[in-house]
Amino acid sequence: MKRVALVVVISALWVFVQAAPIVPGGEGLASVIDAGNQGLYSWTVGTSFAGDYHGAEHMNDMNFRTWDNSVFRIFGSWVPFEPLEVSGAAGLGYSYPVHTASVSPSLGPWDVQVGAKYTWPMEFWTIGADGRIFLPTRAAIFGGPRFGGAVRLLGTTRMDAYAFHLNLGTRMLGDPALLMGVGAEIRYQFLNPYLELTAEFMADSFPLRLTPGLRVLTNVGISFFCAADFGLNADGQSLDADGNPYVNQTSVGIAYSPDGQVVKRRASFIVQVRDASTDQPMSAQVTIAEHYPSVFVVSSSGVRQIDVQSGRYKVTVSAPGYLPHTYSLNFISRRPTRLVASLEPDRTGGRLIIKTINRQTGVSIPGAVVSVAGITLTSNEYGEARFSLPPGSYVINALAPGYLPQSETVVLSANMPLAVTISMLSGNAHIRISGIYFPTASAVIPASSYHSIDEAVRLINGNSDVRIEIAGHTDSYGSAESNLALSQRRAEAVRDYLIRVHGIPARRLTARGYGESAPIASNAAESGRAQNRRVELVVLP
């Protein structure tokens, strides 16, 4: 009844814990080690109560007066370089086996362990090598000092919430042993159950153990873990004083890994998009879930190389008039990830309705000349032109006096009307990027302003032959000379962002600072100065 009550209490407490996945003492299960690490500069510290190699004998009987070979450990790990994780652990041994010895408990130092793990991420597997040294600090009451070590080759593969691990190595401490282990785990919300099978090949024995375990994760970086060994053969089992087998290996602990410590590695992603019906390159939008930035535009060339953060992501490729495709990709820092996406046209629509508007004001443009598939119409007083066409891919060309020519590709389906808005730029357009506000005397783009710049990209991509001047402006705070230099830096910051994130050709973008020479509001009040600290896009002749 005591055991049942304890399990119920612990389970009731853990049900209310929610978390992001972390791991205690570096990556791994109970005995099986994960080939990966948590990311550059990540670190973990924790404490556990277990035993020599495995768990604490007799701990499961809930009577500390019978516990034998118990070890209280503190441990930690750190990733100082991308592929390298270093770790260490020290322990205090405890033994109070009144069924076989005196009634006085024994306390003393245990082995000190230091180790390192090197990781090689690959497309489907992560492989690694782990080495550990045991320093001779064990007290004589626990067998005396022993120097030794262990090395293992590691392999890990992940599929969404599932992970599988393989270990093979050797241990030189006491009786030399060949170590083999396989493990599987699943991460579901705040629960991380796992199961591992381990074997030790020694000269006179072959312990084979099955170890189920559970890690409970919290949203403050703390995790709790517990595991128990079950011997599958005679060498893997232990007997009590009456000669009966029992679950002798138990381990429990708690670890802390602070949030926000993981630094993603830079990786390269090359995407190629084609029309599945024509096998021709096409423009598209690439959306990477839980990644920042998350949206990237592929031009009509159908190819783009994107700088991304390493890790596993859901990637969706979409385009108007096509069925979107979603892929699960693993971006690796050491080699480019390539994707060829063939999009099928969505053939579920009917008529084509085109509306021409002024991009700056949103006002309709009547009298615009709109051409599709050799058919030319003039937009009516509402700026609309209507076409009846068979399903397929079409290029819309729009011309209007005083406006730049505009082209757009669409796919018309058989049974669904398609409404397309053609936004046209006037020949001398000034486009103010609303929502980007630089701090005083700074040229660093605030993260809150990225969305506003991303919206302006639509204006540039819609006119692929137009050159754009990025004009930077400041308020009157400071000298005219310093403000002129500051406005130039602000314009160059926006230009660099458009090239780096959205792939706009550098030849189309020119950055120029105007300082405080062109205010749009009074500099007497802070509200007016904030409006003057702005960036505008100007269409060049």
Side-chain angles (χ1 to χ4, degrees), residues 96-450:
Y96 196 5
V98 296
H99 60 289
T100 60
S102 67
V103 294
S104 299
S106 300
L107 291 171
W110 203 262
D111 300 325
V112 172
Q113 173 185 306
V114 293
K117 179 174 64 175
Y118 200 89
T119 294
W120 290 273
M122 304 179 70
E123 185 171 0
F124 298 107
W125 281 82
T126 297
I127 61 175
D130 179 85
R132 307 195 179 194
I133 297 175
F134 302 95
L135 302 180
T137 57
R138 187 181 302 195
I141 56 176
F142 299 114
R146 293 185 297 175
F147 180 83
V151 293
R152 285 186 247 198
L153 297 177
L154 317 172
T156 293
T157 184
R158 287 184 166 82
M159 294 178 290
D160 297 325
Y162 301 91
F164 302 91
H165 312 281
L166 299 174
N167 288 186
L168 176 64
T170 182
R171 183 185 66 237
M172 301 297 294
L173 182 66
D175 296 329
L178 175 66
L179 308 176
M180 296 182 65
V182 296
E185 61 175 310
I186 181 172
R187 294 185 177 179
Y188 177 72
Q189 296 183 0
F190 58 89
L191 295 178
N192 179 201
Y194 54 85
L195 182 68
E196 65 180 31
L197 177 66
T198 56
E200 300 174 58
F201 297 88
M202 294 181 280
D204 56 355
S205 63
F206 169 53
L208 184 63
R209 299 181 175 91
L210 184 68
T211 307
L214 176 67
R215 185 178 293 118
V216 179
L217 315 161
T218 75
N219 55 6
V220 294
I222 297 174
S223 65
F224 305 90
F225 56 95
C226 61
D229 285 346
F230 293 86
L232 299 183
N233 60 4
D235 291 334
Q237 297 176 349
S238 295
L239 304 179
D240 60 20
D242 298 325
N244 299 315
Y246 62 94
V247 182
N248 68 314
Q249 308 292 5
T250 306
S251 59
V252 295
I254 183 173
Y256 174 69
S257 183
D259 294 334
Q261 292 295 317
V262 177
V263 178
K264 292 285 189 178
R265 308 161 188 166
R266 181 175 176 177
S268 180
F269 174 40
I270 301 174
V271 59
Q272 180 178 0
V273 186
R274 308 188 74 83
D275 184 320
S277 61
T278 64
D279 199 34
Q280 295 298 310
M282 57 176 286
S283 59
Q285 177 176 290
V286 177
T287 303
I288 306 176
E290 299 182 4
H291 184 282
Y292 188 83
S294 61
V295 178
F296 303 87
V297 176
V298 179
S299 68
S300 57
S301 67
V303 179
R304 181 172 176 186
Q305 180 170 339
I306 304 170
D307 289 334
V308 294
Q309 300 166 356
S310 62
R312 293 182 179 273
Y313 298 92
K314 295 289 187 182
V315 178
T316 300
V317 182
S318 59
Y322 290 81
L323 299 173
H325 281 213
T326 299
Y327 307 85
S328 180
L329 299 179
N330 183 20
F331 298 144
I332 301 171
S333 62
R334 296 190 180 97
R335 64 176 179 176
T337 299
R338 300 178 185 273
L339 171 66
V340 177
S342 295
L343 300 186
E344 292 283 351
D346 183 358
R347 306 185 186 278
T348 58
R351 291 176 300 144
L352 178 60
I353 305 169
I354 300 172
K355 183 172 184 178
T356 53
I357 65 171
N358 183 307
R359 179 161 286 179
Q360 293 100 298
T361 64
V363 176
S364 301
I365 303 176
V369 177
V370 182
S371 300
V372 181
I375 303 173
T376 301
L377 298 177
T378 301
S379 61
N380 61 22
E381 59 182 322
Y382 304 107
E384 292 183 352
R386 298 171 179 262
F387 296 81
S388 296
L389 299 167
S393 179
Y394 296 94
V395 177
I396 303 172
N397 294 300
L399 299 172
Y403 290 85
L404 298 172
Q406 178 77 19
S407 297
E408 188 165 334
T409 301
V410 297
V411 175
L412 183 63
S413 301
N415 302 312
M416 181 181 297
L418 177 63
V420 179
T421 299
I422 303 294
S423 301
M424 306 185 69
L425 280 174
S426 61
N428 59 349
H430 282 239
I431 308 159
R432 187 173 306 144
I433 305 179
S434 302
I436 174 170
Y437 302 105
F438 289 94
T440 301
S442 172
V444 177
I445 303 174
S448 59
S449 298
Y450 288 154

